[in-house]
Amino acid sequence: MLEGGCQCGAVRYAVDGEFAHHALCHCADCRASSGAPAMAWMAYKSESFRITKGEAVAFNSSGDSWRHFCGTCGTGLYFVNETTLPGIVDIQSATLDDAANHAPGAQIQTAERLPYMTDLANLPEFERYPGM
């Protein structure tokens, strides 16, 4: 079982079993909802997922796509689209308590990837904010 939740702790979830896929998504809709250049998603069967604390707020981002987030701190938590991904809950894997132990295995929607995302390994790196 894996557990996760939002930044403020108001909404918590748990998920059991094997995931169907774990991918870094580059689509414009994910960028717009997160304010980030890409998002990591881990797909589970709906019956494997449950909210264990609080209640997420849902936003219909496009068509049958429902993005769920904490209404207090705004952390994105999970995504449901019964037309495109029937019976699947896609959790934002960075919200897992042990997110560092779960690396995505693929990149998807790369047709919409921001050009600078293809060459991140060549950028300078700093362990903390530069100059601090």
Side-chain angles (χ1 to χ4, degrees), residues 39-59:
M39 290 177 64
W41 294 103
M42 199 176 226
Y44 283 89
K45 292 182 180 177
S46 299
E47 60 266 16
S48 299
F49 175 84
R50 68 187 179 285
I51 296 293
T52 59
K53 180 183 175 189
E55 187 175 331
V57 176
F59 173 71

Side-chain angles (χ1 to χ4, degrees), residues 8 12 22 27 35 39-40 46 50 53 57 70 80 83 95 99 102 112 126 132:
C8 73
R12 300 278 304 156
H22 187 191
C27 80
M39 290 177 64
S46 299
R50 68 187 179 285
K53 180 183 175 189
V57 176
C70 174
V80 176
T83 302
T95 65
H102 306 282
E112 297 178 42
F126 304 90
M132 300 299 271

